[in-house]
Amino acid sequence: MEAFAHAGVHADRLLPTLTLRRWVKTIAVLIVLSFLGLLICLQYGTERIPFGTMLRLLAGSDSQASTGPSPAVILWEVRLPRLLLAFLVGASLATVGVTLQALLRNPLADPYILGISSGAALGAALAVQFGVSWAFAGFSAIHLFAFIGAAVTMIGIYHIAADGGRIPIQTLLLAGVIINAILSALILFITSLSDSTSAFRLFFWLMGSLATLGYAGLLALAVYVVLGLVVLFGEARHLNLLSLGEEPAKGLGLEVERIKRVIFFTSALLTGAVVAVSGLIGFVGMIVPHGVRMVLGPDHRLVLPAAALVGGTFLAIADTIARSLLAPTELPVGVITALYGGPFFIYLLMSRRKSHMG
Amino acid sequence: MDINYHLDQVSFRYSDQWVLRDFSLEVHEGEILGIIGPNGSGKTSLLKLMAGLLYPQAGRLTLRGQDISTLDARALARQAAMVPQENHVLFPFTVAEVVLMGRFVHQNGWGWESPEDLRIARAAIQVMDLEPLVDRTFQELSGGERQRTIIARALAQQAPILLLDEPTAFLDIKHQLEIYATLRRLNQDRGVTIVVVSHDLNLASQYCQRLLLLHEGRRFCTGSPAEVLTAENLGIVYGCEVLIDQHPEAGTPRITLPALVSVGGVFKNDTRTTLF
């Protein structure tokens, strides 16, 4: 290779590619924007807390309230934990979406559409129904069952769809639809076995809601989410190769089977943890990665952390809308994401078909 | 002469039909070996076996003395770079990014491309005449430009063995020539061993030192282009009459199809003839 490497090639004329400088700049900007977005969301709820008052309260100078729950309590005990939960859930769903899209080589893959979230939900519903209730270090039987449900579904989807190496988009979506239908039937079956109160709770949870978890639960979730995200970020470059297809990736030196196991395990863990606390929240894992790729390009070293930040903020905003739109009535946040995610999905599907015909 | 690949009684099948049966072959270090044969004769499977992308069900396949099933993907990719026939890049990666993926096997973990990686990728891009296209996404490229990008990626991999599956299938004549000239130069200057599957018998005749003619998953014959590319051999294997003379400059065999098509015996007792 040296033979032609010398002929007129200047080592300093670099190729246009992702550099550390660009990575740091982009992520820094996204962190600042996310932070600002969260602060703005924090103002809204049943009652708006003005920005100045909010900052004072957050800084700790508590002006004594007269009657009812003080703004400080609302802020610290209600809004902030919920906002942080939304951020963690959104970040996880978007990251899992990015990962599945690279693994399945399909930009429309999403844990919700493919039924992986439903698998986790079925697991969680089973744990609740049969009263399996042990917990250790914030990790409960519900989490474990949700994880198993997500993992089994994911591996099932992969084997149905990946037959023969390439995955036609229709096969994948069809597999998702059918798996979703089967899992929904099973969940409904379980729901119908339980009494009306818990059936209602189950039903509300299935629509996707971010009811308060409390700081202890939040911390436990944060540990799993951060661990999961870090593991997936570590596979970023591998995902670049994997998105070319398994055989080419292997030809370039990637240990495809090992990477796939890591991805299956970690994505299932994240999906399970998130579904167990927030139910079925759709489309975040599809819309966010798509937008991020459009703006930042396809390199997963940048797309993964960016999608996590954007996804977290996105869901925090969606949840704020869900809480404020018909206040004091609360909409399930899954309804909000589905209402603008669904049309977006149809748009993507149609524009894809057009570009394939053209 | 050192042996790069040694295939000993190798058999391979996808499902129930054998693609290769009791196949034996040696690939010598520093040679350009052309694999030719009709559709479905097992050319691509043979190449994928050598790349470690498929594993034989029977027989032994060694790469530089090591059983290929004992090598991991990384060790294999350092030894042999593969240029697949079909390439799909789903996300909008640019030419520069695709070529840099060839450097993966020389990098560790997360992190960024070293100046060395960039220099080598850039050189590969230059050789493949892709400089004006570095910023374009792979999806925007024509078939020939894509092919050249994938070859540049294989060059950036810097493996001592290059395996190419129909590298000139989508190329115009200028780039066909350039690719074979580049392969020959890599072979002569750097001692790169090259195994190339080709449908273009004339290019194979001109640029390969040795040819392997496959027939229904078995070796029909191997030898110099002059030994392999005879009207008799091709007539039997392809079932088609050909005219053979000499290349006016190189003196290698030149294959031409006859002006009047007579598909030797193939359609004679075929019911399809009644359709015409």
Side-chain angles (χ1 to χ4, degrees), chain A residues 72 92 205:
Chain A
S92 305
W205 166 70

Side-chain angles (χ1 to χ4, degrees), chain A residues 95 98-100 102-103 227-243 249 253-267 270 298-305, chain B residues 74 93 104 108-111:
Chain A
T95 308
V98 170
T99 311
L100 288 177
L103 175 75
L227 271 178
L229 294 188
V230 166
V231 170
L232 288 183
F233 292 171
E235 303 295 336
R237 175 176 266 160
H238 301 152
L239 286 175
N240 284 346
L241 294 179
L242 202 55
S243 76
L254 188 72
E255 299 294 342
V256 171
E257 294 306 319
R258 186 193 70 78
I259 309 292
K260 263 163 53 186
R261 276 198 297 273
V262 172
I263 289 173
F264 278 137
F265 182 82
T266 317
S267 306
L270 278 174
D299 194 323
H300 287 90
R301 288 173 294 183
L302 190 56
V303 170
L304 275 172
Chain B
R74 212 173 167 79
F93 284 110
F104 172 75
N108 289 315
W110 225 70

Side-chain angles (χ1 to χ4, degrees), chain A residues 172-194:
Chain A
L172 188 69
L173 294 180
L174 206 58
V177 166
I178 290 166
I179 285 187
N180 256 322
I182 296 171
L183 292 171
S184 301
L186 289 173
I187 293 172
L188 281 176
F189 176 69
I190 290 171
T191 314
S192 62
L193 290 181
S194 48

Side-chain angles (χ1 to χ4, degrees), chain B residues 115-188:
Chain B
E116 172 83 352
D117 292 330
L118 294 170
R119 192 178 60 75
I120 289 164
R122 172 132 219 133
I125 282 169
Q126 263 196 338
V127 165
M128 281 298 122
D129 205 7
L130 289 164
E131 280 197 297
L133 305 175
V134 282
D135 271 328
R136 298 268 287 280
T137 68
F138 191 80
Q139 292 149 338
E140 293 171 321
L141 304 180
S142 71
E145 290 163 345
R146 290 181 181 195
Q147 194 81 13
R148 276 147 57 206
T149 305
I150 298 301
I151 295 172
R153 187 180 74 188
L155 295 183
Q157 211 169 322
Q158 285 192 311
I161 302 169
L162 262 182
L163 307 169
L164 305 101
D165 195 356
E166 306 265 5
T168 55
F170 302 109
L171 298 182
D172 56 48
I173 47 175
K174 173 187 173 231
H175 285 110
Q176 286 187 3
L177 263 184
E178 276 183 11
I179 290 215
Y180 272 99
T182 306
L183 292 181
R184 178 181 271 177
R185 204 160 83 236
L186 283 168
N187 174 260
Q188 284 173 354

